[in-house]
Amino acid sequence: MAASSKKVIIAALIGNGLIAITKFIAAGITQSSAMLSEGIHSLVDTGNQVLLLFGLKRSKQPADAEFPFGHGREIYFWSFIVAILIFAIGAGISIYEGIQHLLHPSEGSGNYLVNYIVLAFAMVFEGAAWFYAWKAFSIHKGEKGYFKAVHEGKDPTLFVVLFEDSAAMAGLVVAFIGILLTDLTGHHYFDGAASVLIGVILGLTAAWLAYETKSLLIGESASKEVITGIKQIADRHDEVEHVNKALTMHLGPEDILVNLSLDFADDISADKVERIISVIDREIKEQVPAARRVFIEAEARRRQE
């Protein structure tokens, strides 16, 4: 999963970097506010890919005395930072630039052909990056619906890139419409309005990303299917009379902390309890490879009621 995430990020990084350069050149030639907003958008996206790659690298650091559970949640932190940057820089500057253009419209050079060519190439490259991200996410989501898969997903890099690319495609369409209307009517207000709308799209995208990554950053549990599977492993042992609690928390996309409280039969020895705990520990890690840390405690059921 990590290798797949990295490939998606690198593909988006290369595409956004090249597109940003061409958009800024076109904006400089035509003085288009919408094109400038698109250039800022692509530049922010490029920086975001760098941050996600940095977060992936940091998350692979081994556990140490200061961080005994490892650094897996680094990727959640940097994904949240990406959402903030999209909102603060991408959306903020786009809306500001659009408002400035509405208040003080620039006549520009009138060379709209440059904008059309750049937008066409951007749609091709951005579309290819979006398709690659969508394909990776579709494999990851399995039979779940897209919204459910995003809400329950534990690897934010996949849906962050997909969200960014989706917002980019929507922004390109808005920019094209704004520039086309300006070209046909001669009214540059359409160009400024397109820039504002691009900023709104980025702001909504950033808000959704921040919402989805926040719960992961705070400490989200494993999926219901995983928790049910863990309980079933403990339940199938005759010596276990009741599973009091099964607490889980994702320390990273592929790193789950498991804490089980089990009520064992009163007539078994302490040595046997230790052996059963060892067996359950091994079975959980075999069935749920992401469960790297499993803690099991023997506790009477009445203490939980």
Side-chain angles (χ1 to χ4, degrees), residues 20 30 50 59 68 100 139-140 147 298:
T30 64
V50 174
S59 68
Q100 287 293 106
I139 295 173
H140 173 70
F147 289 102

Side-chain angles (χ1 to χ4, degrees), residues 73 76 140 144 147-156 159 209-224 226-227 246-253 255-258:
R73 291 169 75 176
Y76 298 154
H140 173 70
K144 298 178 182 177
F147 289 102
K148 184 177 181 181
V150 169
H151 185 64
E152 296 182 359
K154 309 303 179 183
D155 186 353
F159 63 75
L209 281 176
Y211 174 78
E212 292 297 344
T213 55
K214 182 199 71 171
S215 60
L216 292 170
L217 185 60
I218 293 174
E220 196 171 279
S221 68
S223 66
K224 292 180 180 178
V226 169
I227 296 174
L247 306 178
T248 63
M249 183 171 64
H250 266 270
L251 301 177
D255 188 357
I256 302 174
L257 172 68
V258 179

Side-chain angles (χ1 to χ4, degrees), residues 12-269:
L13 172 63
I14 295 172
N16 285 322
L18 294 174
I19 293 170
I21 295 172
T22 56
K23 285 177 179 176
F24 279 125
I25 293 174
I29 294 174
T30 64
Q31 298 299 302
S32 168
S33 177
M35 185 57 72
L36 179 60
S37 294
E38 275 299 299
I40 294 169
H41 180 183
S42 294
L43 182 62
V44 172
D45 282 352
T46 303
N48 289 342
Q49 314 314 324
V50 174
L51 289 178
L52 288 176
L53 286 174
F54 177 73
L56 275 178
K57 183 178 180 181
R58 292 278 301 174
S59 68
K60 300 303 177 186
Q61 292 185 110
D64 52 37
E66 188 175 1
F67 298 95
F69 292 109
H71 297 73
R73 291 169 75 176
E74 284 261 7
I75 190 60
Y76 298 154
F77 170 77
W78 290 108
S79 296
F80 187 78
I81 293 298
V82 163
I84 299 302
L85 289 178
I86 293 175
F87 182 83
I89 301 179
I93 295 180
S94 294
I95 293 174
Y96 173 80
E97 174 63 25
I99 292 174
Q100 287 293 106
H101 200 76
L102 288 172
L103 296 176
H104 311 287
S106 171
E107 293 301 321
S109 66
N111 188 3
Y112 293 101
L113 180 61
V114 175
N115 282 334
Y116 295 141
I117 293 174
V118 170
L119 286 174
F121 276 104
M123 286 181 179
V124 172
F125 291 124
E126 203 74 72
W130 178 88
F131 179 76
Y132 193 81
W134 173 80
K135 186 176 180 181
F137 183 75
S138 296
I139 295 173
H140 173 70
K141 80 177 185 65
E143 298 298 322
K144 298 178 182 177
Y146 285 96
F147 289 102
K148 184 177 181 181
V150 169
H151 185 64
E152 296 182 359
K154 309 303 179 183
D155 186 353
T157 57
L158 289 176
F159 63 75
V160 165
V161 174
L162 181 61
F163 275 33
E164 282 186 345
D165 290 342
S166 298
M169 290 297 293
L172 288 171
V173 172
V174 171
F176 175 80
I177 294 173
I179 292 171
L180 178 62
L181 290 175
T182 300
D183 186 11
L184 294 176
T185 65
H187 296 296
H188 291 266
Y189 293 105
F190 290 111
D191 190 41
S195 180
V196 172
L197 186 54
I198 290 170
V200 171
I201 291 172
L202 290 176
L204 292 175
T205 302
W208 193 9
L209 281 176
Y211 174 78
E212 292 297 344
T213 55
K214 182 199 71 171
S215 60
L216 292 170
L217 185 60
I218 293 174
E220 196 171 279
S221 68
S223 66
K224 292 180 180 178
E225 293 80 7
V226 169
I227 296 174
T228 299
I230 291 173
K231 288 181 177 180
Q232 289 174 347
I233 291 173
D235 265 334
R236 64 173 173 241
H237 290 270
D238 295 334
E239 297 83 357
V240 177
E241 293 192 344
H242 186 256
V243 178
N244 299 319
K245 288 184 180 179
L247 306 178
T248 63
M249 183 171 64
H250 266 270
L251 301 177
E254 298 297 328
D255 188 357
I256 302 174
L257 172 68
V258 179
N259 193 337
L260 273 178
S261 171
L262 305 177
D263 181 15
F264 290 93
D266 295 333
D267 59 349
I268 62 175
S269 65

